[in-house]
């Protein structure tokens, strides 16, 4: 399913490098957050000390450490906060990425084997061998004479060969179009993920600084949950791609096993492949929703609904293109006959 070319791979790698290059901006934002957090810590400590003195109660020192711990996190935000979270979650991304690469490699291997067996199956059939082999086509022409019946056979052979080549070109074009949509959906999710992570990382020190103030304590947990949820978009999308690739591998294995039978007629339409490409396009837009099932992030539901709606529209559009292309092919074939 994930037939990634070197260009698509470079685009995904570019997003990874973009995130690393934008991280130094966290240090610049930390200087602003230090002032906000320092002022908040002053009010936080002064209010609780004054409250304890007014009530003639002993001062509880342990809660007073909270603004200082947050200030320490702000001072070393790229290393202590982002470094810790990324260090814990990056092995998950590497594991899912290696899984996708293995499934993609196996799928390519089985696809090449299926194409080879399909060609051999058509070459074994004298009525279809000339469609895939120029040598068989020239041999059939040499066997024919110049009578009216032979001339009619030549014309029919030429028409069948051109129709077959045209059908293969149209099917190849349609598959490339679906693969383009599929890769675009994957790149869209990865781009949005990188953008959200950069925004959360750069403005993270400010969120930690606001968490010092009373009434804004939930800002800290909200930031953490959203960062982790969005970070998990990549492993979830990789798992989705691995599942689709595995399904296709099982189907390719079944087709290869059936092609061992000389009487088996392979299906050259590629309908199943196109169906799974459409499923993949729609499924990528469900990645934010699935990630929110792993860790609940408040405020991300609206985007999940919009992404799911966009996925349905993309799937409907891809299905409409497929129906239109299939109808056009059938219409041309009927006219030629």
């Amino acid at each position: 399913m994930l037939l990634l070319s070197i260009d698509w791979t470079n685009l995904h790698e570019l997003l990874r490098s973009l995130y690393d290059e934008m991280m130094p901006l966290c240090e610049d934002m930390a200087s602003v957050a230090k002032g906000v957090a320092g002022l908040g810590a002053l009010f936080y400590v002064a209010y609780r000390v004054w409250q304890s003195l007014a009530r003639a109660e002993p001062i509880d020192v342990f809660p007073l450490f909270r603004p200082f711990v947050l200030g320490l996190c702000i001072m070393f935000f790229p290393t202590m906060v982002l470094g810790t979270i990324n260090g814990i979650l990056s092995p998950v991304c590497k594991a899912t990425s290696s899984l996708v690469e293995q499934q993609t490699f196996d799928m390519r291997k089985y696809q090449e084997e299926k194409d080879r067996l399909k060609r051999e199956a058509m070459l074994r059939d004298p009525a279809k061998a000339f469609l895939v082999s120029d040598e068989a086509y020239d041999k059939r022409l040499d066997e024919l004479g110049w009578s009216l019946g032979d001339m009619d056979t030549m014309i029919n052979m030429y028409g069948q060969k051109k129709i077959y080549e045209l059908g293969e070109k149209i099917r190849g074009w349609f598959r490339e179009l679906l693969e383009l949509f599929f890769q675009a959906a994957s790149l869209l999710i990865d781009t949005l993920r990188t953008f959200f992570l950069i925004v959360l990382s750069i403005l993270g020190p400010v969120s930690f600084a606001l968490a010092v103030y009373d009434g804004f304590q939930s800002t800290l947990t909200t930031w953490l949950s959203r960062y982790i949820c969005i970070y998990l978009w990549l492993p979830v999308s990789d798992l989705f791609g691995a599942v689709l690739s595995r399904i296709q591998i099982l189907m390719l294995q079944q087709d290869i096993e059936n092609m061992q039978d000389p009487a088996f007629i392979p299906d050259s339409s590629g309908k199943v492949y196109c169906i799974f490409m459409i499923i993949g396009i729609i499924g990528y837009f469900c990645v934010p929703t699935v990630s929110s099932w792993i860790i609940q992030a408040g405020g991300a539901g609206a985007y999940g609904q919009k992404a799911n709606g966009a996925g349905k529209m993309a799937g409907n559009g891809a299905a409409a293109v497929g129906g239109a292309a299939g109808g056009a092919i059938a219409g041309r074939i009927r006219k030629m006959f």
Side-chain angles (χ1 to χ4, degrees):
M1 175 59 63
L2 299 178
L3 301 179
L4 294 178
S5 63
I6 186 64
D7 296 332
W8 291 104
T9 304
N10 286 340
L11 290 176
H12 287 279
E13 292 298 331
L14 179 63
L15 293 175
R16 306 292 180 273
S17 61
L18 176 63
Y19 176 81
D20 296 334
E21 291 178 0
M22 296 293 288
M23 285 306 97
L25 297 178
C26 299
E27 299 178 358
D28 299 335
M29 191 60 63
S31 59
V32 178
K34 289 177 186 177
V36 177
L39 185 62
L42 177 62
F43 289 118
Y44 184 90
V45 175
Y47 173 75
R48 279 157 178 76
V49 171
W50 173 82
Q51 188 180 41
S52 299
L53 294 176
R55 295 177 178 176
E57 298 176 350
I59 298 174
D60 190 1
V61 180
F62 185 77
L64 301 181
F65 287 134
R66 185 176 186 275
F68 297 101
V69 173
L70 291 176
L72 185 65
C73 293
I74 294 172
M75 292 177 61
F76 304 99
F77 191 81
T79 304
M80 182 177 293
V81 179
L82 295 180
T84 302
I85 298 176
N86 295 342
I88 295 174
L89 298 179
S90 60
V92 179
C93 295
K94 293 180 180 179
T96 54
S97 178
S98 62
L99 180 62
V100 171
E101 292 177 358
Q102 180 62 34
Q103 295 297 322
T104 303
F105 176 78
D106 293 340
M107 189 186 66
R108 288 174 178 171
K109 180 179 64 176
Y110 286 114
Q111 184 64 49
E112 293 175 357
E113 180 69 14
K114 178 184 175 181
D115 294 340
R116 184 182 65 82
L117 293 175
K118 175 184 172 182
R119 179 180 175 82
E120 293 178 355
M122 296 189 69
L123 289 175
R124 287 196 301 265
D125 187 358
K128 297 181 179 180
F130 70 93
L131 297 176
V132 296
S133 174
D134 293 336
E135 296 179 357
Y137 179 75
D138 295 336
K139 184 178 179 181
R140 287 281 300 274
L141 291 179
D142 294 338
E143 294 174 353
L144 298 175
W146 296 100
S147 63
L148 292 178
D150 293 337
M151 293 293 293
D152 184 62
T153 303
M154 290 182 185
I155 294 174
N156 288 334
M157 288 176 55
Y158 180 80
Q160 292 178 15
K161 186 174 179 62
K162 291 302 179 182
I163 291 174
Y164 178 81
E165 293 177 353
L166 177 62
E168 287 295 317
K169 289 181 180 179
I170 294 177
R171 281 190 291 268
W173 171 82
F174 183 62
R175 290 180 60 173
E176 290 180 358
L177 180 63
L178 287 180
E179 289 178 0
L180 176 63
F181 288 157
F182 181 83
Q183 301 292 356
S186 174
L187 186 63
L188 174 62
I189 292 296
D190 199 2
T191 303
L192 291 176
R193 171 185 177 270
T194 304
F195 169 70
F196 290 157
L197 289 181
I198 289 175
V199 172
L200 289 174
S201 300
I202 294 177
L203 299 180
V206 177
S207 298
F208 274 61
L210 293 176
V212 176
Y213 293 84
D214 290 331
F216 294 93
Q217 288 88 347
S218 61
T219 303
L220 177 62
T221 56
T222 302
W223 184 92
L224 289 173
S225 61
R226 287 180 179 174
Y227 187 91
I228 297 173
C229 179
I230 295 174
Y231 196 97
L232 292 177
W233 285 11
L234 180 60
V236 170
S237 62
D238 287 342
L239 287 176
F240 177 71
V243 169
L244 291 181
S245 298
R246 188 58 186 174
I247 294 175
Q248 282 200 312
I249 288 174
L250 295 176
M251 298 180 64
L252 289 173
Q253 290 176 344
Q254 184 179 5
D255 291 341
I256 292 173
E257 183 179 354
N258 292 333
M259 286 182 182
Q260 303 298 330
D261 184 7
F264 178 75
I265 301 177
D267 181 18
S268 60
S269 62
K271 296 179 181 178
V272 178
Y273 177 82
C274 295
I275 290 173
F276 273 100
M277 291 298 293
I278 296 174
I279 294 174
I281 294 171
I282 299 174
Y284 265 119
F285 291 94
C286 299
V287 168
T289 302
V290 178
S291 299
S292 64
W293 294 348
I294 301 173
I295 179 170
Q296 185 65 35
Y303 170 75
Q305 295 176 359
K306 294 180 180 179
N308 292 336
K312 293 179 181 178
M313 293 177 61
N316 294 335
V321 172
I329 295 172
R332 289 192 178 185
I333 294 176
R334 291 194 192 98
K335 291 180 180 179
M336 297 186 71
F337 280 104

